[in-house]
Every structure is written in structure tokens, then in C-alpha cells.
Amino acid sequence: MKNLFAVTTLGVAIALAGCTREERADTGNDVEAAAGKIADEARDAAGSPELKEVGSEIKEAAGDAGQVIKETAKGAAEGAREGAAKVEAETRDAGPDAGDAPHGAKN
């Protein structure tokens, strides 16, 4: 944006070099009016209800995503606990020798 303004200003300065004092003043006033209009429109856009609505929707979507992640993590932890309990129960059901090394194996 700064580069665009600098290039525009340079172009206006070169164009004004060949103009009369009155033409330069008129052009300068036109440039100031255009810059003011652009600034006003930018302020209006920043405060627009549409932009605020988009921001609200983004915030809501982020909250929804956070809730999904939280519930997924809970489900994964619950699944891990169930799996560990199942393995423990199967080990108990296999008998006292289930954890021993096979014959001939070295510890």
C-alpha cells in the first residue's frame, strides 16, 4: 500500500511539473479528496456488520472445533482404558504361568 502511494505521488509530481500553479493546486486538492474518500470507505468497511458477522462466525467455528477435539481426546482416553482393562483381564484368565518365559528362553 505504501509503495502504491509512493508511486502514485511520484507520478502526480512528474505530471505536475509540466502544469501551471493553478492546475497543480487543483490536482493536489483532487488527490487529497480521493485519499480522504478511500480512508472513509476503509473505516466504513472495518466497522461493517458483515465483517463483524464473519468474525463472529470464525469465533464460533473455532469453539466448535475445540469442542470436537476435546471430545475426541476423551474418547481416545476412554478407549485406551477399556483396552488396558481387557488385556489385564485376559492375562488374569490365562493363568499364573501366562507371563512366564517359554522353556529354554533366557531372561
Side-chain angles (χ1 to χ4, degrees):
M1 187 74 164
K2 289 180 182 180
N3 289 339
L4 176 62
F5 184 72
V7 169
T8 303
T9 303
L10 180 61
V12 169
I14 291 171
L16 291 177
C19 299
T20 65
R21 179 176 281 184
E22 185 177 309
E23 289 172 330
R24 286 191 296 249
D26 287 344
T27 303
N29 291 337
D30 291 345
V31 169
E32 286 179 16
K37 185 175 179 181
I38 290 170
D40 290 343
E41 289 179 10
R43 273 192 294 276
D44 290 345
S48 73
E50 293 86 3
L51 187 59
K52 289 179 181 177
E53 184 178 339
V54 168
S56 176
E57 289 174 1
I58 290 171
K59 185 177 178 181
E60 184 179 331
D64 291 346
Q67 187 64 30
V68 167
I69 291 169
K70 183 179 175 182
E71 290 177 13
T72 301
K74 268 188 198 176
E78 191 174 305
R81 281 191 295 273
E82 290 173 3
K86 184 178 178 182
V87 168
E88 186 179 329
E90 289 174 357
T91 302
R92 266 187 271 134
D93 292 344
D97 295 333
D100 293 343
H103 293 288
K106 294 183 180 181
N107 289 341

